[in-house]
Amino acid sequence: MDVARTSTRAIGRSAVREELARGAFGQFCREGFDKVTLDDLAAAAGVSRSTFLRYFGSKEEVVLFTFDPLGDGMVDALRARPAGEEDWAALRRALDPVIARLTREPASEGLALLRLVGQTPALCARLREKQAGWRPRLVQSLTERSEAQRSSSLMLHARVAAAMECLMAALEHWVADEGRPGLDDLVDEAFDALS
Amino acid sequence: MDVARTSTRAIGRSAVREELARGAFGQFCREGFDKVTLDDLAAAAGVSRSTFLRYFGSKEEVVLFTFDPLGDGMVDALRARPAGEEDWAALRRALDPVIARLTREPASEGLALLRLVGQTPALCARLREKQAGWRPRLVQSLTERSEAQRSSSLMLHARVAAAMECLMAALEHWVADEGRPGLDDLVDEAFDALS
DNA sequence: TCTCAGTTGGAACTGAGTGTCATAGTAGAC
DNA sequence: GTCTACTATGACACTCAGTTCCAACTGAGA
């Protein structure tokens, strides 16, 4: 059967992916993202450069593919909010699963990931690109949520973008303070700054 | 004198820079940013690849260095706002010089620039990086403006980031509509979505 | 056993960006 | 006008990311 075959392959594939990424992440943290070449990563993982690159597509993706589920999680959470809720409040709540995922144990893992991204311009830029890719779906969810359509698409776009920036600003402060203040509270604070 | 010497050189340098960028911009618009190589650009300009790259540092910068004055303009405008004004209103007004520069005649020029950036992921990403570089200075200006300090640095950061995103969202809609609705009104609309 | 899709490694290639070096040009001091 | 720094330039070699192609291998189903 086609489905079974592709799915078993897919399972193996994502397991290998996970394993390769784990090793690479250690190297990046130890030596710095820019110092480690694809050849280094492939050699350490015991595969060829071709194979390594086939699993991720780009060097940045080795680190950033872990953020992929966050986009879907946010869209789903936004869809689940009650229709009457204000956009801004709904967007705040849509970040809950994102926060949960980033702060789940071991806490140092999420922190290390964000620290690596934060101190590597190339990773920052790519992460922002990734987030930009989530936006259309978030705007779409926001549009469907309120049939009343009081807001133009530009306004919805502005709210979604601002919400993402609140998250990013909160993350930056959270990392800078070594995770001390709760990320939840920081995101609340950032959201409060715009209402 | 050191000052005079460097300044005459600098004038010549920036004139050449302008000229090289003008030619390159045409090529990018005609053939697409990714299709044109640095060799193409250098050959068309009649200089070596080394020289061309020395003027800009990177291929993206050939297009994006024109945005550099916007950051300074925004910071200056923010500094000039009355101390009592609300942060959000002050940030909106700080965008006026940016809007003026992007919409000044010939209008098609700013539009073409934004269109090229908008349809080229690499340029989008770099522009966002550039804007991220403006943020600390904007937060600083905002901090100095209101001695009262009711807001945390996270809140100021969130407001600045949100304001930048309002500008970006407005620009995107403006370009999509071929510059028809006034950019001023679009930025107002985006800002209104967050208050 | 045969077949076939998917995986792998290897090699060659393009293109961006860095670094170095010798040379040519030029602004300013004398 | 000449000399002297400083600067700009072109040429070249180099590293590294990413793409493309190909040949060999693997593993599951017919």
Side-chain angles (χ1 to χ4, degrees):
Chain A
M1 260 169 45
D2 245 65
V3 181
R5 188 164 61 210
T6 50
S7 82
T8 51
R9 299 252 194 201
I11 291 169
R13 235 190 115 70
S14 74
V16 172
R17 212 166 127 99
E18 212 78 41
E19 191 57 29
L20 293 177
R22 195 185 319 281
F25 183 69
Q27 288 182 272
F28 288 147
C29 288
R30 266 178 278 121
E31 305 168 40
F33 183 79
D34 295 322
K35 299 286 179 203
V36 184
T37 70
L38 285 172
D39 281 314
D40 296 336
L41 294 173
V47 299
S48 72
R49 207 180 70 105
S50 315
T51 298
F52 197 95
L53 212 41
R54 255 191 287 260
Y55 272 96
F56 296 102
S58 80
K59 195 178 161 190
E60 287 86 11
E61 203 60 17
V62 178
V63 177
L64 298 180
F65 84 104
T66 56
F67 287 90
D68 285 337
L70 299 186
D72 297 320
M74 213 179 145
V75 170
D76 292 343
L78 190 55
R79 282 231 170 78
R81 300 305 304 169
E85 196 174 38
E86 291 284 330
D87 286 347
W88 194 239
L91 282 167
R92 171 59 191 86
R93 294 275 70 84
L95 286 178
D96 283 336
V98 174
I99 295 170
R101 197 176 257 266
L102 289 172
T103 57
R104 75 179 172 192
E105 298 304 324
S108 61
E109 205 170 276
L111 219 47
L113 175 63
L114 291 171
R115 203 176 295 123
L116 178 64
V117 174
Q119 67 197 188
T120 311
L123 289 174
C124 276
R126 287 278 192 147
L127 178 55
R128 285 182 183 279
E129 266 188 84
K130 210 177 259 287
Q131 289 181 342
W134 302 343
R135 274 187 214 172
R137 279 185 302 155
L138 289 167
V139 171
Q140 185 59 27
S141 301
L142 220 51
T143 307
E144 291 164 1
R145 239 175 48 83
S146 64
E147 297 288 336
Q149 291 283 359
R150 303 173 269 76
S151 302
S152 66
S153 110
L154 170 57
M155 291 179 92
L156 296 181
H157 190 155
R159 286 194 192 115
V160 167
M164 299 301 303
E165 288 302 317
C166 283
L167 170 67
M168 293 300 282
L171 287 176
E172 210 170 292
H173 280 246
W174 189 58
V175 170
D177 280 357
E178 297 293 326
R180 255 186 306 125
L183 180 53
D184 246 309
D185 295 335
L186 290 176
V187 174
D188 280 334
E189 193 179 330
F191 266 68
D192 283 344
L194 293 164
S195 53
Chain B
M1 258 165 55
D2 246 62
V3 181
R5 189 161 64 209
T6 50
S7 83
T8 50
R9 299 255 193 198
I11 291 170
R13 234 191 114 70
S14 73
V16 173
R17 214 167 126 98
E18 211 79 40
E19 191 58 29
L20 293 178
R22 196 187 318 281
F25 184 69
Q27 287 180 272
F28 287 146
C29 289
R30 267 178 277 119
E31 304 167 41
F33 183 80
D34 296 322
K35 299 287 177 201
V36 183
T37 69
L38 285 173
D39 281 315
D40 295 337
L41 294 174
V47 299
S48 72
R49 206 180 71 105
S50 314
T51 298
F52 197 95
L53 211 42
R54 257 191 285 259
Y55 272 97
F56 296 101
S58 79
K59 194 178 160 189
E60 287 86 10
E61 203 60 15
V62 179
V63 177
L64 297 180
F65 84 102
T66 56
F67 286 90
D68 284 337
L70 299 187
D72 297 319
M74 214 179 144
V75 170
D76 292 342
L78 190 55
R79 281 231 170 79
R81 300 305 305 169
E85 195 175 38
E86 291 283 332
D87 285 349
W88 196 238
L91 282 166
R92 171 60 190 89
R93 293 277 69 87
L95 287 177
D96 283 336
V98 175
I99 295 170
R101 197 176 257 265
L102 288 171
T103 57
R104 75 181 173 191
E105 298 303 325
S108 61
E109 206 170 275
L111 220 48
L113 174 64
L114 291 170
R115 202 176 293 123
L116 177 64
V117 173
Q119 69 197 188
T120 309
L123 290 174
C124 277
R126 288 279 192 147
L127 178 55
R128 286 183 181 279
E129 265 187 86
K130 209 176 260 287
Q131 289 182 340
W134 301 344
R135 274 187 216 171
R137 280 184 302 154
L138 288 167
V139 170
Q140 185 59 27
S141 300
L142 219 51
T143 307
E144 291 164 2
R145 239 174 48 84
S146 63
E147 297 288 335
Q149 290 284 2
R150 305 172 267 75
S151 302
S152 66
S153 110
L154 171 56
M155 291 178 91
L156 297 182
H157 190 154
R159 285 193 193 116
V160 167
M164 299 300 303
E165 288 302 319
C166 282
L167 171 66
M168 292 301 282
L171 286 177
E172 209 170 292
H173 279 246
W174 189 57
V175 170
D177 280 357
E178 299 290 326
R180 257 187 303 124
L183 179 53
D184 247 308
D185 295 335
L186 290 176
V187 174
D188 280 333
E189 192 179 331
F191 266 68
D192 284 343
L194 293 163
S195 54

